[in-house]
Structure formats: structure tokens, C-alpha cells
Amino acid sequence: MLTDDADIAAWQNEGLPADRMSTENATILTNCERWPLMVDPQLQGIKWIKNKYGEDLRVIRIGQKGYLDTMERALAAGEQVLIENLEESVDPVLGPLLGREMIKKGRYIKIGDKECEYNPAFRLILHTKLANPHFQPELQAQCTLINFTVTRDGLEDQLLAAVVSMERPDLEELKSDLTKQQNGFKITLKTLEDNLLSRLSSASGNFLGDTALVENLEITKQTAAEIEEKVQESKVTEAKINEAREHYRPAAAQASLLYFTMNDLHAIHPMYQFSLKAFRIVFQKAMERASPDENLKVRVLNLIDSITFSVFQYTTRGLFECDKLTYTAQVTFQILLMSKEINALELDFLLRYPAQTRVTSPVEFLSNYSWGGIKALSSMEEFRNLDRDIEGSAKRWKKFVESECPEKEKFPQEWKNKSALQRLCIMRAIRPDRMTYAVRDFVEEKLGSKYVVGRPLDFATSFEESGPATPMFFILSPGVDPLKDVEKQGKKLGYTFNNRNFHNVSLGQGQEVVAEQALDLAAKEGHWVILQNIHLVAKWLSSLEKKLEQHSESSHQDFRVFISAEPAPSPDSHIIPQGILENSIKITNEAPTGMHANLHKALDNFTQDTLEMCTRENEFKSILFVLCYFHAVVAERRKFGPQGWNRSYPFNTGDLTISVNVLYNYLEASSKVPYDDLRYLFGEIMYGGHITDDWDRRLCKTYLEEFIKPEMLEGELFLAPGFPLPGSMDYNGYHQYIDDSLPPESPYLYGLHPNAEIGFLTQTSEKLFRIVLEMQPRDSSMGEGGVVTKEETVKALLDEMLEKLIDEFNIAELMAKVEERTPYVVVAFQECERMNILTSEIKRSLKELDLGLKGELTMTSDMENLQNALFLDTVPESWIKKAYPSTASLGMWFADLLTRIKELETWTGDFSLPSAVWLAGFFNPQSFLTAIMQSTARKNEWPLDKMTLQCDVTKKNREDFASPPREGAYVYGLFMEGARWDAQAGIITDARLKELTPAMPVIFIKAIPADKQDTRSVYPCPVYKTRQRGPTYVWTFNLKTRENPSKWVLAGVALLLQI
């Protein structure tokens, strides 16, 4: 209706991609009445527009110099104008133009305060490269939105053309000749038909007598017959060509899949942006590199292998270590899903882990959470009777579960014959802490070992791929300087500071001009420019993006730009423009991990001369070595998450080198070693200066108290079990000592219990699966193969939740029941009020989403976020704001919410204090603990500010208590992390292996005057609401210990209200 094949052929010759979607978009763009607004993140549409209109097109950007003048001239002359790279908000000056608000009988339009002449031939095209823009509603009404975002099938067709034109240029040429020939035929036929029709309409009387007309009819008929014949021939040829092309489709399909997986990475970190243009270059090079083969099938497999590995290398060098496995796993799962090698339901279980709640494990080697997973698995056909088998041959399973590396062992019974993914599902339930290793093995089995061996690419290879239009972008990590590589490479190729062809600009206030001059000069002369720390000049970045774009075209071929920037701490504060990130080769350099590498690295900051510079050599060397060990410990302890440090701190080598300078000055200045002063300077100022949390400060001080003390010079100091402080050695001797004597990497080196590693590995694997789940493509075709669609899942969950939520607490009615408002009653009221706020928000948002799903309300972004959260089993953002801190998945969180409501109902039934109180059930546990002090203070008439809480851990569980104590309260529901409570001896003791958070018995809490408190042999233990620790701090309980409390400080022992 709107277009014919002749137009389409012409567009494709102008560079419009050859898939159906692009053709439809181009048709709308050329025919629409309103101004078209192209959403074009891959820049395919704008490339076609620029080719189509060529010189006649005026290309402007909002905000560039004189853009309104260009606009006025074009309006009067009736030219084509393209406004490129629109942001989400548009300059209000253009409002009348976008809305075509004509004045003076449609001859003028107002722009600003000027009336501009309007030529009806004027055309405006708007373009944005934002992938998911949120424009103002009026803009959407004024324009025709056209989505040029490439689709998976569309890209597959485009890449297929690229593969075939490379592999079989004869076929591709034949195909394009055919297309042109057919287009020619169509145009000829159309002209003939038009000609004939005009003659027929102008003929009068007996037109059979009009010889010219009859002859024309004959010619048209003859030509049509010839064309028909040729069309038939070409159809046969076309079928043959298409059949030959199909052989190469698997390679194109895989490449398209790889591009979309790579393109989704920005969901993990906003730094991970990749352009289609860059991807195509990688794709092209990969095809050239693939090894040739006579056999077509083998050749296609070689192509697939080469493309997959090249894209993998290209992507992973720009990812942080922690995200590489996530990306590799996602690629593997997607490839296997596409080739139908794995079952979508099983993958869904692996990623979601929908464990059944409220089940009790019948075997002691599996936790209830693990057993919930096993029960959920057993309900699937492939895993029937798994729960029975584990119970039946518990001995064999126990041996398997408790082995060091179960992912390398064979599964018991016939389960060892299950597919790799099915074994992963079982492993996810029984040993979540080994999942990162198991996934790595899975990738190795499916894709090959080259995908898991983390060899970093050397800089020279990456450099070869850069060019004037492709800068190199270094994503910085603390303690690493990637620019040394650039300088080394520059020296090799003759680019140095002294040769005046190597410019190094460190950005900051006022350096923007310097950088611009360096770029202009370098682009002209072919120099190298390094721009360091561009994240410090947020306002200048859009100018830099334009500058790089200008220089990408007509600059000297030796011109190179190297950029470095730190990643933003959170996605909201990310400022680096997409254009810079997309077009550059991204490289991450990270500090080495592990104690061994960090200790060597700390020592590398010094030399033999440093060791000899102090007159008191022995003391100086010993304390210097201890500082290196301390530095390595505090930096590497970060990996254990909140159990390591409550918050993460940017300790850097500067802290270490300055501490050593301070040490030198103090030793030179005093006759005795001032241990206290040194500890204070290091722990409170040099390192402590970074620390903002009191518990972290205590940890830092405790390390220094353990390490820097007079015993260190008597050769009796162990820095870690099995690692004594070395005596006096030379510089190389110390390095040798580390290699020979440092025990293998384990939590013991940091003073932590081995369980800390299990916890940290479990959380790493949970995070891995959560991110992969979020990255799963969510198209409606998931409905095939028995997996329900997203809407159905969400609707079922939504109905179930609304049904289970009860009415809100009627506070007025409850108040009427109470005679005296004791502190406990006040706490109960506060809790009910908060619960009402939360439940009403849950109900409101669920009902709103329900109407949205039925189509009775327009879906807003809030409703979409809620829908995604329900689908991904995470707690929605709007609920978290009104709720208590929690790390649970949505299913567990909701079950917990219902338990809390029940607890409150029981308590507000008669307002008598429960015999044992569930401390974790409060929004604000502090208020309850304060109420204990208040009620005791009122009863005994003691001053409240001179009181404290004493906690005695009983030997009983909550079932053993029938009534509350006369004073104070019994509380239950606490867990200990980092150690365990020995109920018989009544002290803290070492945790059992694999028991991460053993439950505490009931604790009796009562208020006493502060001066009566017993502080001997106790460990002041912080209580937190969740494993996140840090801001969820509640109180400090003094727990009895026989060992030195410093042991528990280093082990990060704390009490948690939820696990």
C-alpha cells in the first residue's frame, strides 16, 4: 500500500539493513505526516538517512553553536533537517516547530521570539541513540516514534549477508544482480503500465482504430511475457541461492546471539557499553581468522568457533574479574538453549532456586534450605525420588556432600548419569558454596577450556585493534596504573614525551582546554594523547564525545587516544557518555588477589636501600614487614564481604609508604620503640583515616595490637597460624621467605574461621545466578515448552499475596483496650503503625498492577518495576522503602512478613508480654530493648542514662518458657556468625565447619545500673539485623569468653537477627 519493491530496493542500495523490520520503519519514516523520531541505539537508521539525503541534509545537534540559525534557514528554504543525539528533554524553543503551531495563515512559525517563514517542503527528522528513552508525553504526541533498534532476527539476516559475501562472494553478487534485475523489471513494467493507462484514458471513440495504441498494447503484452519468463528463471536461481546461504545461517545466528548477550551487560555495570559497529569489526576479523576447510560443515563450525572466541575475548578484557564468569555462563546457557541442548525448566530452577519453605531436613548433613531445594527438584519428572534416595543412602550422600570439591567427584547411584545441567541443579541445592567452581567446569565441558583459563591479553595485541576512531579506555581499579603499558608501547614505537609526540593530560579543574588543544594537535600530526581520570570533569564529557567523533573521520592515521576513568560507585552516579564507551576498546586492570600476591606487592614498594636507611635496623625491618602483612590483610579482607569489613574502604599503597616514613622518623627520634604512638598513628590516622564505622575501627586497632608489640623482637610473634615473623634478612630474602613460608590461601591468614570462605563463596554464587536470571531474554516466546509466560506467573503470585494479606490493625480500637500505656505497649503500637504503612503500600501497588495487567490502567514505570521484581522473586523497591532491612528473596520475605503479622496479632490480643519475644520480628528492635530499660527504671526509680543491658544466655529453647520473667525479657531468634555458643560451658567457642550461623539459645535480657556491669573476660558482640551488617546495627551484647576477645574481633563474630 505505502511502498513498492522499487523503493525498497533503492533504500537497500542506500545502506538500509535488509531485514523486514528496517523496511517497515523506512516506509513509516518516508510516509508519516508528523515528524519522525527515530530510536536508533545502533546508529543503523541514521547511517541510511545520511546516505539517502546526502548533501541536502542539514545535520545539527541541540545546543551546538548556531543551530537555531541553521534551522531558520532550512525552514525558509524547505530543506531536510536531522537533529541527532536527542536527550530525553528537548529545548522548549523548538516546541512550536515540533507541534507545527503555524501563524499568519500557516506561513510562519515562531522560534524563540522570532517569526520564521515556513516552507511546506520543509522536513524534520529527530534521532536519539538512547536505547530506552523516556520522552515527555507531548513529544510522543507530536512525533511519530520509530524504533530502529536492531532485533535478533534482523541482525541475524544482516550478519548472514556478511558471512555469505565473505565466504561465497559469487552467490552474494548473483543475489544482488538478481535483485537489481528484478527491480529493473518492476520499474519497466510500472512505466509501461502507466503509459498504457494514460493512453487508454485519453483515447476516444473506437480505440481499436488507434494503431499506435494497439501496437503499444502488443509491446506491453510481449514485454510482460518476457519479464514473466525471466522472473520464473530468477525464482529458481533465487531458491538455489537461498538454499546455499542457509548453510551459513548457524554462524550468523550464533553471532547475533553473542551480540545481544554482550549488549545486555550494561545491566550489570553501566561501563559495559558496546556498539554494533565495533562488534561488526570483531566479527569480520574473526571470519578472516577462522581456519579454512574443504568440507562446508566443518568450515561453518570453524567459523562459529572463531566468532564465539573472538567476541568472548573482545568482551572479557573489558569486564571486571567478578563479572567474567557471569558473562561466560550467560553465553553458554544461551548457546545451549538456542541449540535445544538444555531444558528451559531446569535452567529456570538453577537460576531461581524456588526452594520449598517450612520443610525440615531429615538428614543432618543438609540444611533446611538445601532440603527445600531437593524437595522442589523431586517434583520434576527428571528428578523423581531424589529426596528418597538421599534419605535411603544417607551415608553415600553424606560422603559426597562433605567432600572437599564435590563438583569433581562422581554423584552417588544412578544420578551420576544425569546431564551436566541436571547435576548443576542438584549441586545448587546441596553445596551452594561450590557453585562458582561447578559453573566453571560446566562452561569448560560445553565450550572448551580456553573459555575458563583466565590469561589476560597483552597490551600490544589490544593496541593493534585501536585506531583514530577507536580509543582505548582503561577502567581503573585501586592500586593499579595501566598507563605504564601505554608508555612502554609508546617507547617501542617512538612516541615519547621527549619526542613531543606523546601528550599526557591529567584532568581536573582547568585542564579541559589543555586536553582539547592536545587532541587537535595530535589529530593533525598523528600523535598519542593520554587523558587521565576523565570522571573528574563531568561537565566536559559531552564536548569530549563530540571532539572524538570529529577526529574519528579525517584525522592522521597514527593518531591514538588513551582514556582512563574510575567506575562510578553506583549506576545512578555513572557519568561517562555512551558514545565514548561504545566506540572504545575497554580494558580493565585489577590488583592481584590472594594474600601471597598482595604481600609481594606490598613489599615491592620498597628496596634494599629502604631496609638499610634506618640506624635501628632490626626494629625497623621487623615493623616494616609487619606493616606489609597488615596492609595485605586489610586490603584483601574486603573479599569476605560484611564479615570482613562492614563497609569497603579504599586502602592504597600511599597509606603503606607514608606509614613507613612515619616509622623511620619516630625510630630515629626516640631511644625506645614507641609502640603505642606507632599503633595510634597507623590505626587511627594513616589507615584509620579511611574508616567510618566504629566496629571497623576496633578491628583495625586489634590487628595492630596483635602485630606491633614488644614480643615481636623476641621472635615469638606469629602473624598467622604457621607464619612466624621473620628475623632480619635482606630485601630478596624477605620475598623468598614469603614464597617458602606463607601457608596456602585460607581465612586463617586473616584471623577468620574457614566458614567465612563458605559464606563468601555462597553469596558470590547467589549473586552470579541472580544476575544471569535478570539477563535472561524476556520475550513472549518463553511460553513454548511448558514454561508459563511472565504475565501469568506475576498474576498468580499477585492473587496469592492479596488473598493472604489480612486487614490492617485498627489502632483506635486497640488503644481503647489498654488501661496503662507502659513502654512495651507503646512499642506494640509503633510496630502496628509501621506494619499498617507497609501492608497498605503492598496492597495499593498490587491492586494497581492487577488493573494494569487487565488493561484497565496504563502501565507506568513503577508498575513495570513491580512486575519485574515479582517475576524475578526479589522484593520490590517501593516495599523495601517502607519495610525493615532484609536480604531474603521475595517468597521467603513474604512468608516472614506473615509470621511477623501473626506475632503482632498475638501480642496485641491482650498486650501481655510474650513468654519469649522474637527480637527479629520488630521493625525497630532498639525500641524494644530500650523499653526493657525504661520499665525497669520506672519500677526501681533509677536514672535511665545510667543504665545498661545485661544479657545472660540461658541453656533452654523458647518452648521451655511458659511465662515472661519478672523483670526484663526472654528473647529468641538470634544467630551467631563467625563462632558458636557453647551452651554447656556458657562461653563463645570456635564454630563447627559448614555451620555458618548456628542459632543461639534464648537470651535473658535485663537492665542493670551501668556501674554494676561485669566487663572481665567478655567480648562486646555487635548485634545486626541482617548479614549486610554495617547500617543494620542494633545493640551490643557482652558475651562471656575464656579466650582473648581479640580473637573474636579478628574473626568478625557478630549476632544476627535474620539469616
Side-chain angles (χ1 to χ4, degrees), residues 40 66 102 132 173 296 306 317 476 500 540 553 579 623 694 702 710 743 778 797 836 840 850 852 927 944 987:
D40 183 25
M102 312 282 188
N132 188 9
E173 206 172 302
L296 180 63
S306 175
R317 70 174 165 210
L476 298 173
R500 301 261 174 104
W540 178 67
E553 278 154 16
I623 299 180
D694 290 343
T702 308
R778 278 182 231 131
L797 193 60
N836 283 354
S840 68
D850 194 25
S927 64
L944 188 60
I987 52 165

Side-chain angles (χ1 to χ4, degrees), residues 369-387:
Y369 185 58
S370 292
W371 191 250
I374 294 286
K375 289 299 270 182
L377 261 184
S378 308
S379 62
M380 287 160 69
E381 186 55 44
E382 288 290 330
F383 299 93
R384 186 169 295 155
N385 293 338
L386 174 63
D387 48 350

Side-chain angles (χ1 to χ4, degrees), residues 251 296-307:
L296 180 63
K297 271 197 174 143
V298 179
R299 170 66 184 164
V300 172
L301 287 174
N302 290 347
L303 277 175
I304 290 180
D305 182 57
S306 175
I307 292 166

Side-chain angles (χ1 to χ4, degrees), residues 466-468 523 526 555-560:
S466 67
S555 55
H556 195 291
Q557 75 218 40
D558 292 337
F559 166 61
R560 294 286 184 279

Side-chain angles (χ1 to χ4, degrees), residues 790-799 801-802 840-872 874 876 878-879 890:
K790 179 175 171 179
E791 279 75 15
E792 286 168 12
T793 316
V794 171
K795 181 82 177 87
L797 193 60
L798 183 146
D799 292 343
M801 284 184 165
L802 282 173
S840 68
E841 167 59 27
I842 295 177
K843 282 182 188 165
R844 183 201 65 75
S845 57
L846 287 177
K847 282 175 183 162
E848 184 181 66
L849 176 61
D850 194 25
L851 292 172
L853 289 174
K854 286 177 186 161
E856 291 172 23
L857 275 180
T858 314
M859 288 290 269
T860 61
S861 60
D862 286 347
M863 286 151 81
E864 267 179 32
N865 293 341
L866 175 63
Q867 185 182 1
N868 285 336
L870 294 178
F871 181 67
L872 294 170
T874 55
S878 66
W879 302 2
L890 181 60

Side-chain angles (χ1 to χ4, degrees), residues 76 244 344 363 919 984:
V363 287
L919 194 58
Q984 288 332 101

Side-chain angles (χ1 to χ4, degrees), residues 422 561 839:
Q422 288 163 349
V561 183
T839 49

Side-chain angles (χ1 to χ4, degrees), residues 580-593:
I580 297 180
L581 286 169
E582 276 191 345
N583 296 324
S584 47
I585 295 172
K586 286 166 288 303
I587 296 181
T588 51
N589 285 57
E590 283 178 276
T593 53

